[in-house]
Amino acid sequence: MSRNGRLSPRKPSVFVSGFGFQAVILSAFVLSCLTFFGWACRKGLWFLSFCDEGEHLLGGRMLNEGGRLYVSYVDSHGPVIFMLSQFYGALFGWHFPQGARLFLPALALMAAACISVTSALSDVRHRVLASTVFIGGIASYWLMDAFYMVSFYPVAGFLAVCLLALFVVPVWFGKTPSTLPSALAGMCLILILACAYAYGPGMLLIVIPALWLLARKQGGRAIKAFAGGAGLAVLLLGLWFWRYSDFGSFVAFHILFNQIAYAPFIHFGPKTFLLSLLPSFRGKSFIPLSPISSSPHRSRCCCTGALTETGSPS
């Protein structure tokens, strides 16, 4: 108010102008990360393939045609990746098997959405920044680590991000997750275990301490919701197994076979884990991809070869 008693217009404060500048920078950063992610996903649609991916797609088609996983179609991987390829075939058919790779960007965006709504962060800008950093970081490794492939490890990784964002990290920050995020996190845990049984010990080491912390602070409602979501996922998986697979064959070919056939030459243990944390500066560890090996035609042949051999349209 001025000396003559009239209201005088106030100049914008430094805080307001600073916040506007931060909003512009944040918007530019979000747009850059989304653009980079979109480019990586588009490139990944026709990028290099691996034999496992063809097996997952072929397994999905066999399920669409009445086959039973681990019975009429035997594979050593968990059922979730075959459920995704089966779902893709039921929706779109098998005229364009490469399109199943679009599930991976959708799962990555789902994980980013879970980060954006996590109760571990209260400020909107922090949530937007965290989810954007995740998308940009994932895009940096999208092609090099084959996150674009129809395979179980990127699926399990994105589900693990959802589990951490919705349930575990908020508990670590001393907050009690609400009912719906806790239930969704419980479902994510079961789906991760159904991607590969080997993820079980690591996931339990992450989840059990969070449940223990909740129990200490009287978070029984969140614990019940988490258990309810896990139980619902187990029920739905059981119904799927009853129709499309066999649990005994699953144990034989996914768990026992992997332990007997693969465990002896993997040589994984506490020492291997600790050594993996040491930085390496060996140039030969990085193998550049040649333009010929990364051509779209080569990738398409590798990914769909098994399907075209069965008579599907190429």
Side-chain angles (χ1 to χ4, degrees):
M1 181 176 292
S2 62
R3 292 181 179 180
N4 58 10
R6 296 181 180 180
L7 294 174
S8 59
R10 300 182 62 182
K11 296 181 179 181
S13 64
V14 176
F15 173 77
V16 174
S17 60
F19 177 78
F21 178 74
Q22 290 179 6
V24 172
I25 296 298
L26 181 59
S27 300
F29 180 68
V30 170
L31 182 60
S32 300
C33 287
L34 290 177
T35 302
F36 183 33
F37 179 72
W39 173 87
C41 293
R42 183 177 180 274
K43 186 75 173 179
L45 188 62
W46 294 106
F47 209 58
L48 297 173
S49 186
F50 185 62
C51 59
D52 284 356
E53 186 177 30
E55 294 172 0
H56 299 151
L57 294 172
L58 183 59
R61 175 165 182 176
M62 293 294 290
L63 290 171
N64 290 147
E65 296 182 354
R68 293 174 66 88
L69 186 61
Y70 310 117
V71 180
S72 56
Y73 185 85
V74 177
D75 195 275
S76 60
H77 294 160
V80 166
I81 192 61
F82 296 100
M83 295 167 68
L84 284 176
S85 59
Q86 176 191 16
F87 183 63
Y88 172 80
L91 286 181
F92 304 107
W94 292 105
H95 297 279
F96 183 58
Q98 211 84 4
R101 288 184 171 184
L102 295 176
F103 273 122
L104 283 309
L107 290 173
L109 292 175
M110 181 185 73
C114 290
I115 295 175
S116 68
V117 299
T118 178
S119 58
L121 301 173
S122 56
D123 188 82
V124 175
R125 285 177 297 171
H126 294 166
R127 292 180 175 183
V128 173
L129 184 60
S131 56
T132 304
V133 168
F134 170 75
I135 286 295
I138 285 294
S140 301
Y141 288 89
W142 194 260
L143 301 177
M144 185 170 63
D145 282 355
F147 291 154
Y148 59 87
M149 282 191 188
V150 184
S151 194
F152 60 90
Y153 63 90
V155 175
F158 295 139
L159 290 173
V161 172
C162 297
L163 171 63
L164 290 168
L166 295 175
F167 188 78
V168 176
V169 175
V171 174
W172 289 348
F173 278 62
K175 299 181 179 181
T176 301
S178 56
T179 302
L180 181 58
S182 300
L184 293 175
M187 297 183 70
C188 288
L189 173 63
I190 300 302
L191 291 176
I192 292 170
L193 301 183
C195 285
Y197 76 98
Y199 297 140
M203 287 296 101
L204 293 179
L205 288 175
I206 292 174
V207 170
I208 290 177
L211 295 175
W212 178 73
L213 289 173
L214 275 178
R216 289 190 61 186
K217 59 183 300 186
Q218 307 298 322
R221 186 174 182 180
I223 295 176
K224 291 179 182 178
F226 184 87
L232 177 61
V234 170
L235 176 62
L236 294 176
L237 277 174
L239 293 175
W240 185 88
F241 264 93
W242 175 74
R243 174 62 180 84
Y244 296 107
S245 185
D246 177 76
F247 186 75
S249 300
F250 160 77
V251 173
F253 290 109
H254 177 56
I255 299 179
L256 297 180
F257 176 78
N258 278 316
Q259 284 298 122
I260 296 172
Y262 285 100
F265 67 82
I266 290 177
H267 301 299
F268 181 78
K271 181 180 178 181
T272 312
F273 173 74
L274 293 175
L275 290 176
S276 70
L277 301 178
L278 297 177
S280 174
F281 299 97
R282 293 178 300 174
K284 63 181 181 181
S285 299
F286 176 74
I287 303 176
L289 301 173
S290 66
I292 297 177
S293 63
S294 60
S295 66
H297 302 288
R298 178 180 176 89
S299 174
R300 185 175 184 180
C301 179
C302 292
C303 185
T304 62
L307 292 172
T308 55
E309 287 178 3
T310 61
S312 65
S314 57

